[in-house]
Each structure stands twice: as C-alpha cells, then as structure tokens.
Amino acid sequence: MEFDDYESLPTSKVGVHMTAGAVAGVMEHCVMFPIDSVKTRMQSLAPSPEAAYRSIREGLTKMVSSEGLLRPMGGVNAVIIGAGPAHAFYFSTYEGIKATFGSNNAFQNHIVNAGAGCGATLLHDAIMVPADVIKQRMQMYNSPYSSCFDCLRKLYRSEGVKAFYRSFTTQLVMNLPFHAIHIVTYEKFQSVMNPERDYNPRAHMVAGAAAGAAASAFTTPLDMCKTVLNTQETSALVHLQQSRVVGLLGALRTIYVMNGVAGFFKGIQARVLYQMPGTAISWSIYELFKHHMTKNNRNENPPPHWDSDLIKDSVIRDNLCDAESSKSSSDNDGKLMVQERRITLGTTTNKTVERLRTLHMPSLTANCSAADDNWLGK
C-alpha cells in the first residue's frame, strides 16, 4: 500500500478516523482500568491504612480480597461512555490537522504533530473530564456511590455542574504537554522503525508504548493535581480545614502541604505502567482499523483503468495507424511532404484529444494538446 493511501486518508472519510479512534479509546481504557484504579488510590493524600499500597500488585490483591473481584473495575462505565466519543474526536482532529498542515520538512512536521496533538486534546478533554470525575470518585476507597449514575446525580445535586469541570483547566494544562510529547515521540519512533509508514503492528505497538511512557512520566505532577481536584478527599480537607480544593494553584499547595515534594510523584510507577500498554493498545487498534477500513475503501472504489480503455478505443487505434501510414507516404517535394504530415498528425491528434475528453482525462488531454501545438508550430 502506498504512503498516501494509508497515512493520509481523505478528509471525506473522517468516519474512518472516528470509528477507529473510538474503538481504540474504549479498548485502551477498559483493558488497563484496574491499573488506573490502583493509581488513583496510590495518589491519595491521606489514604486509609486499608488502601495504602506500596506496589500495583499489592493494590490489586488487596482490592480483590477485601472488596470483591470486580472492585478494580468500579467506574468503568463512565469511561466507556466518555472514551468512545472523546477518542473519536481526538483521532479525527489529529489526522485532519496533520493532513492539512503537514510538510516534507522534518522540523516543521514535529511542530505540526505537536500542534495536532494539542488541538485534538481540546475536544478530547471537553468530553472526557466529566467522565474522569465520576470514574475517580467511584475508584476511591469506601466510595459512597453505588453506580456511575448515582455518582452523577449526587454530585450534580450537591456541587452543581462546576463539580464536573473543576479540574478542566488543570487537565488541559496537563494534557497539552502530554499529547504534544506523546505525538512527537510516537511519530519519531515511527519515522525510525517504520519510515515507509506501512501497516506495521510491531512498530505501532513499540512507538505507542514509548510515547505513553515518556508523556506520562513528564506530566505526573499535573496528574496528581487533577486527582486532588477530582476526588476532593474528605480526610485531606479536614486536615487542611477547608471545604474545597479549588484550581491548579490550590491543588499544588495542598499536595505540598500534605506530602511535600515527593507528593507530586505519587503513583508515577502505576501511571507509567498504565499508560505504556494503554497507548500501545490504543495506537495498535487505531492503526489496525485504519488499515482495514482504508483497504476496504480501496476495494469498493478501485481506480479507473484508463490504459485498457485507451487500448480498446477504436478511434485512437485507427488514428495512430493513420499517423503511421502518413510517415511512409512519399512526395517529390520535401516541403509538401512535411506539410502533409503536419496536417495528418494534427487531425489525428485533434480526434485523439476529443476522445480523451470523453474519457474524462483532463491532464492527459492537456498534454496531447500541447504536443499537437508544438508539432504544428515547427
């Protein structure tokens, strides 16, 4: 498959990007959701002794043994509902910006890729932030909510709409560099491992994992702030003698007061281990769907075989024969012979051009017309 066929799908097929992105996003979050649940609890500012985990394995073991087999999946419904449309818009926007502003210059492409990641993030976060709030409230130890809908209803009644977007600014501040680093790293690994940009599962998976690891490690302090704003831990609020943690600066101050500098990197191991396979799965599934949907589109709309139409066309074949016969004609006057050949070939070419017009081949028609004018002008 050619590069343009695979890597730069036509904008009219934006549904391909949206479908592939939606499936990739849902799969990414669902498969790695238990790790995300452990990460949320490890980022607690004042964890209960029963929810104080030293490792991901310990966290999963304690959650399952004390709270049930399905407890690590608490809140997954919110992610399924939010991740589908969020990732659909993310990938379609990313591909659209990259296709519009991409160039052959490597440095400019890095800028475009980073910009594409940032632009896609704006739409992604507008949908995903409320889902994240519900998800993290459900993931907390001793969560008072029985379901995602129950959490949605109670949050709206007690805190209003602002509860769902309290961390929006912080998440944007986090996700803009996250996705910029993510996209640039992914494209860099792709350029090294898969320069032809063919469908290469190994390259997509390795590049996705590396991109997720780099971006998640760099933005862990901001992710910690997001968790503080989303969860509004009662124990931390009581300790600080305040009713709410508000804004990025408030979250930064709260984390530092409660846990010091080390508090900004709580859960970094779980975050990196969550993002690496998550982004590897996401990119692999996205590229797989894009590959197959593009392939199906090519099969449904094969390019026209102009060459066979031209060969079968009697007008062009007969005219070419006339042109050949005119070359063998002889005349005692050399000038008269040349003039006759010009007229014959000119007539032949005109007929050919008219036939090409009926075959809807403007570029080839123009070339034939130019050749005709050039010959007759000699």
Side-chain angles (χ1 to χ4, degrees), residues 33-34 37 63-65 67-76 138:
F33 194 83
S37 295
M63 288 178 72
V64 171
S65 61
E67 301 174 61
L69 182 63
L70 297 180
R71 187 63 185 93
M73 298 299 291
V76 71
M138 292 289 295

Side-chain angles (χ1 to χ4, degrees), residues 90 94 109-111 113-114 117 177-194 197 203-218 276 279 283:
Y90 176 85
Y94 159 68
N109 266 340
H110 286 318
I111 302 298
N113 291 335
F178 177 92
H179 288 293
I181 296 169
H182 184 174
I183 295 297
V184 170
T185 305
Y186 180 80
E187 293 292 344
K188 182 62 178 177
F189 269 77
Q190 282 285 86
S191 65
V192 174
M193 299 182 65
N194 186 23
R197 298 305 175 98
H204 299 322
M205 186 166 290
V206 173
S216 60
F218 184 82
M276 282 184 67
T279 49
W283 278 109

Side-chain angles (χ1 to χ4, degrees), residues 313-325 348:
D313 186 77
S314 59
V315 174
I316 296 175
R317 186 175 62 250
D318 293 343
N319 287 339
L320 290 175
C321 292
D322 291 342
E324 290 297 327
S325 63
T348 300

Side-chain angles (χ1 to χ4, degrees), residues 221-286:
L222 291 170
D223 182 66
M224 183 67 192
C225 292
K226 182 202 76 172
T227 299
V228 169
L229 291 170
N230 281 346
T231 56
Q232 299 289 322
E233 286 184 72
T234 303
S235 56
L237 294 175
V238 170
H239 183 271
L240 296 170
Q241 297 182 346
Q242 59 188 57
S243 59
R244 291 282 181 272
V245 179
V246 180
L248 176 58
L249 293 178
L252 290 170
R253 183 172 58 253
T254 299
I255 295 169
Y256 183 76
V257 170
M258 294 291 295
N259 298 124
V261 176
F264 293 103
F265 296 93
K266 294 184 72 173
I268 186 172
Q269 180 187 21
R271 177 168 164 78
V272 171
L273 290 179
Y274 163 73
Q275 289 291 346
M276 282 184 67
T279 49
I281 291 169
S282 179
W283 278 109
S284 297
I285 293 176
Y286 172 70

Side-chain angles (χ1 to χ4, degrees), residues 297-316:
N297 182 60
R298 284 166 55 86
N299 291 337
E300 292 173 3
N301 301 285
H305 298 288
W306 301 115
D307 54 345
S308 60
D309 289 339
L310 291 175
I311 292 171
K312 295 176 183 177
D313 186 77
S314 59
V315 174
I316 296 175

